[in-house]
Amino acid sequence: SSVLKCTRPASETLDFMHKTAVAPESLLSSASAVRPTWGSAQPVSSPWTGARECGSLEAVVAVYGAAAPEAAARLPVATAPRTHKEHPFVFFHQRKTGGSTIRTQMVYSAKKHSLSSWVPCSDKVPCESYYAPPHPPFYAVYGGHLYWASVQKALLRQQGIHVGGAATPQMHCFTVFREPVSRVASCWSYRMVEKKRRLGNGLDVKNVSAQQLSSHHTLQVKDLASYSASQLREALATGMSHYGEGCNNEPLRILSDAGTNEERVNRLTAENGASCGAAGWSMDVVGVLDRTLHRASRCVVGVLERCEETAEVLSHFAPWFEMSCGKHLNANPHSSALSEDARREILRQNAAEVAAYKEPRSPPSTLLFNAQLNTTWSSSHVGL
């Protein structure tokens, strides 16, 4: 089936995040009264009220960046373990963000505090589990590569709230972001190369014609640094691991409703055909980013590159969770240095994730993390 696209001029594709964002206060003025309540079962609305066309990414991140202090203030401050089955704790594990180690520590912490847990690859839960169980028994702690929508549906059912509309289940949540280029490179190296997975029929890249590329007769998987520019463009957009997932746009895969449609989420800002020009974007990329940031703003947010501070924030909002930093499980032993062209292509195909993580003027995930860290330090009488 065809996918609607909108077109940006090629010259704008790589530098759009360096443009001046729409003033946050002007965008928030019409939406300031619509704010989600943490853990509420009442309808929740996104603060974004603007257009959904491609050029609005900067405006969306400006809104959520400006709202970060308020979002941090809504998070409950727990002074003792308080996670329970009617108000569970959920770790939304974005791939290649140190989450395997975090999951191990979470299971240990849950057992230490007599909290029941459901975590893939632990206690006989199958590793390839991406949907929260909708039937009893229910648990106090969940964690894994779980789609937000599946968790929402399971918890709404568990809590006796009719599924539908904008109802929001009672839960605490936690997720970790990572710098997008290093995350994509790590994902590709670990899930594609080191596990020796192949794209399509596994044709050797040296013998693949342009016609085969455009027809999705795809490439042999190899290190990202080994691809030519055109091969890398195709590999990132179409590459799938043994588990059927690509490496692009991981936060949007987990937190938005687009995650279960792998082709859609993996190609949100990839080149998708000559009819879209050199920079065809999915028409709904702004809406998908909006939903991702809206949900992330309800969670404790960590940043892999700031692990010690992440552990400090988590200990404040979830003191039962004993997170520590050190050697990560499933870490890549090595990865080849990426060329500047390869970095630019990763940034282009992950433009929405990049905007969420590191948009220069108002990066929502970073500002939200900083606001939560400020709350943590303030409660400990430590000034910034």
Side-chain angles (χ1 to χ4, degrees):
S1 59
S2 61
V3 180
L4 289 175
K5 301 287 186 294
C6 57
T7 302
R8 296 175 70 94
S11 60
E12 296 180 12
T13 304
L14 297 175
D15 63 354
F16 74 96
M17 280 169 292
H18 300 288
K19 297 178 181 179
T20 302
V22 177
E25 59 272 16
S26 66
L27 292 169
L28 286 169
S29 60
S30 62
S32 59
V34 185
R35 288 285 182 254
T37 301
W38 172 268
S40 171
Q42 300 301 316
V44 176
S45 300
S46 162
W48 171 246
T49 59
R52 260 44 178 188
E53 68 272 9
C54 291
S56 299
L57 283 181
E58 302 96 324
V60 173
V61 298
V63 167
Y64 284 98
E70 185 178 345
R74 288 197 304 269
L75 292 178
V77 177
T79 57
R82 55 179 290 171
T83 300
H84 52 82
K85 295 179 181 179
E86 289 72 38
H87 204 131
F89 180 94
V90 183
F91 171 46
F92 290 99
H93 177 186
Q94 299 181 35
R95 293 163 181 81
K96 307 312 298 176
T97 60
S100 296
T101 302
I102 293 173
R103 279 158 62 166
T104 299
Q105 295 171 348
M106 182 174 68
V107 170
Y108 169 82
S109 300
K111 290 180 177 178
K112 183 176 179 179
H113 292 281
S114 300
L115 300 171
S116 61
S117 64
W118 185 90
V119 179
C121 296
S122 298
D123 299 323
K124 299 182 180 181
V125 177
C127 291
E128 292 188 50
S129 300
Y130 309 109
Y131 298 85
H135 305 292
F138 297 118
Y139 301 85
V141 176
Y142 297 83
H145 302 308
L146 303 175
Y147 299 115
W148 179 288
S150 79
V151 173
Q152 175 173 277
K153 182 175 181 178
L155 295 186
L156 287 174
R157 181 172 181 175
Q158 171 188 340
Q159 295 165 11
I161 303 171
H162 291 296
V163 177
T168 302
Q170 302 278 347
M171 69 173 174
H172 303 285
C173 54
F174 172 52
T175 193
V176 176
F177 286 78
R178 179 180 181 179
E179 192 282 317
V181 172
S182 64
R183 185 199 60 73
V184 170
S186 178
C187 171
W188 190 273
S189 177
Y190 180 74
R191 287 182 167 261
M192 307 288 189
V193 178
E194 291 180 27
K195 288 182 175 288
K196 297 181 180 179
R197 306 306 181 190
R198 289 181 178 271
L199 307 180
N201 296 320
L203 299 176
D204 191 307
V205 291
K206 296 179 181 178
N207 300 320
V208 176
S209 67
Q211 182 178 2
Q212 287 176 315
L213 284 175
S214 63
S215 302
H216 300 278
H217 292 278
T218 49
L219 314 175
Q220 181 181 22
V221 173
K222 57 182 183 178
D223 194 274
L224 288 178
S226 300
Y227 287 122
S228 68
S230 61
Q231 292 165 351
L232 177 61
R233 185 179 306 118
E234 180 74 8
L236 283 174
T238 64
M240 299 292 161
S241 72
H242 173 70
Y243 305 103
E245 296 131 3
C247 287
N248 289 340
N249 300 311
E250 182 64 15
L252 289 75
R253 177 178 287 103
I254 295 296
L255 298 177
S256 79
D257 295 327
T260 56
N261 187 333
E262 190 57 40
E263 181 178 5
R264 178 186 178 199
V265 74
N266 205 56
R267 303 181 65 140
L268 281 171
T269 58
E271 295 176 352
N272 288 322
S275 62
C276 302
W281 284 18
S282 294
M283 185 68 77
D284 60 350
V285 60
V286 173
V288 173
L289 175 61
D290 168 51
R291 179 58 62 186
T292 299
L293 296 178
H294 177 55
R295 289 169 172 170
S297 69
R298 295 189 57 232
C299 299
V300 176
V301 168
V303 177
L304 178 64
E305 292 81 3
R306 298 169 66 180
C307 183
E308 297 291 347
E309 291 172 309
T310 295
E312 188 176 359
V313 170
L314 189 61
S315 68
H316 174 72
F317 289 105
W320 62 272
F321 196 145
E322 300 177 19
M323 176 183 169
S324 61
C325 300
K327 184 177 180 180
H328 294 295
L329 299 174
N330 296 339
N332 298 329
H334 63 83
S335 58
S336 301
L338 295 174
S339 67
E340 187 59 30
D341 285 344
R343 292 178 61 85
R344 287 169 63 86
E345 184 61 27
I346 292 173
L347 290 172
R348 191 187 66 78
Q349 293 204 26
N350 290 269
E353 178 180 348
V354 172
Y357 180 84
K358 57 188 294 186
E359 197 281 333
R361 295 180 179 272
S362 52
S365 62
T366 302
L367 291 181
L368 183 60
F369 175 72
N370 288 340
Q372 293 174 359
L373 185 62
N374 187 22
T375 298
T376 299
W377 287 351
S378 298
S379 69
S380 302
H381 306 288
V382 178
L384 284 175

